[in-house]
Amino acid sequence: MNAPTSLKTNFKQYLEKTKVKGAAVPAGLQELLLAVADTCNTLSHEVAQGALIGLLGSAGTGNVQGEVQQKLDVIANDLLIDGVQTCKSLAGLASEEMELPLPVQGIGDYLLLFDPLDGSSNIDVNVSIGTIFSVLKKQEPKAPLQTSDFLLSGRHQVAAGYVVYGPQTTMALTLGDGVVMFTLNKVTGEFILIKHAVEISHSTKEFAINMSNMRHWAEPVRRYVEECLAGTSGERDKDFNMRWIASMVADVHRVLSRGGIFMYPWDQREPHKPGKLRLMYEANPMSFLVEQAGGASTNGKELIMDLVPTELHERVSVMLGSKEEIDRLRHYHA
Ligand code: AHG
Ligand code: MN
Ligand code: MN
């Protein structure tokens, strides 16, 4: 089947001609984002090969989070480092899979953070997984790279996005002026613009949460979900649908595509931990996308984008998506 004729803008052309609040995208940022997209193209082909190239299963190692690394976690991390480290505009990068940031040879001041492979538990069962990225600007360009350079709130992000490796490989991106989506043409290797001005509907009848943790949740989250489950016979007076893919990338992609909310809240299994998901390379980039699409994102008490991190691998409670539902959750937490 031929592509519709309207689908002809590739990612490079988009970056060259788009304006962010009236200004062109800086050449250095274009260079970096193109390198990320190129690497995700490569990764998408590797992901699709799976067992054929010995890619499934555990790597037999652990990361700084104390999680078992899958082979693909390590491969994706190495590919991304290789793909971006020669970017002249890059000062350093940080990853879920590395304890410390990595300085690079670039002379620029961009900082890249990524979750190289999100949804690790889904790799071996052939369910959608992805890559999440966030771009910050180093505040003191000339000083040697330090972990503290990365510890900026989500409001400092100049770009953020994800690539979901599903039936299609699709990238969502924000440069701070709305959200756009591109789908990878696997023959030409180009990401083609498929949607602009992505908007999350303010109301929804769909929620996503790992229900098996219900008994551990805090009261406001339990109340919210119980009311959804009560449907037309309860407070909400409407029936809700539930989804849980267990890859944040795929769950958030659904929220951006047809509305809904996604939650991975604090729970009492490990009460000292603010949550499971990581602020800097999971929650912040997703929150930037969601806010730019007219949705909202909170840890219950504060907007996630306003949180000032104190650690690179800081965790956070996450509730994001359709605005009316997030407002309700914030109200329940007040
Ligand atoms: P990662 O694979 O990068 O460690 O992230 C997995 C995260 C997130 O993608 C997903 O929403 C969540 O873990 C799933 O957790 P459960 O298995 O507890 O449902
Ligand atoms: Mn992840
Ligand atoms: Mn990961």
Side-chain angles (χ1 to χ4, degrees), residues 20 35 124:
V20 179
D124 288 4

Side-chain angles (χ1 to χ4, degrees), residues 190-244:
E190 293 170 300
F191 279 93
I192 303 292
L193 184 66
I194 56 154
K195 268 190 203 171
H196 53 87
V198 172
E199 271 194 53
I200 302 175
S201 55
H202 283 190
S203 60
T204 183
K205 291 178 167 184
E206 197 161 64
F207 68 97
I209 193 165
N210 185 337
M211 289 288 297
S212 68
N213 298 324
M214 188 166 199
R215 68 191 185 283
H216 305 297
W217 297 335
E219 175 52 30
V221 175
R222 191 193 301 254
R223 172 182 172 190
Y224 176 82
V225 173
E226 275 170 357
E227 288 177 0
C228 292
L229 296 177
T232 47
S233 57
E235 168 94 1
R236 300 299 305 271
D237 201 21
K238 61 177 180 180
D239 289 330
F240 279 77
N241 187 25
M242 197 205 85
R243 288 285 184 276
W244 184 250

Side-chain angles (χ1 to χ4, degrees), residues 73 96-97 115-120 278 282:
D73 288 321
E96 178 191 344
E97 303 302 336
D115 174 354
L117 205 289
D118 176 69
S120 300
R278 280 55 56 114
E282 292 180 316

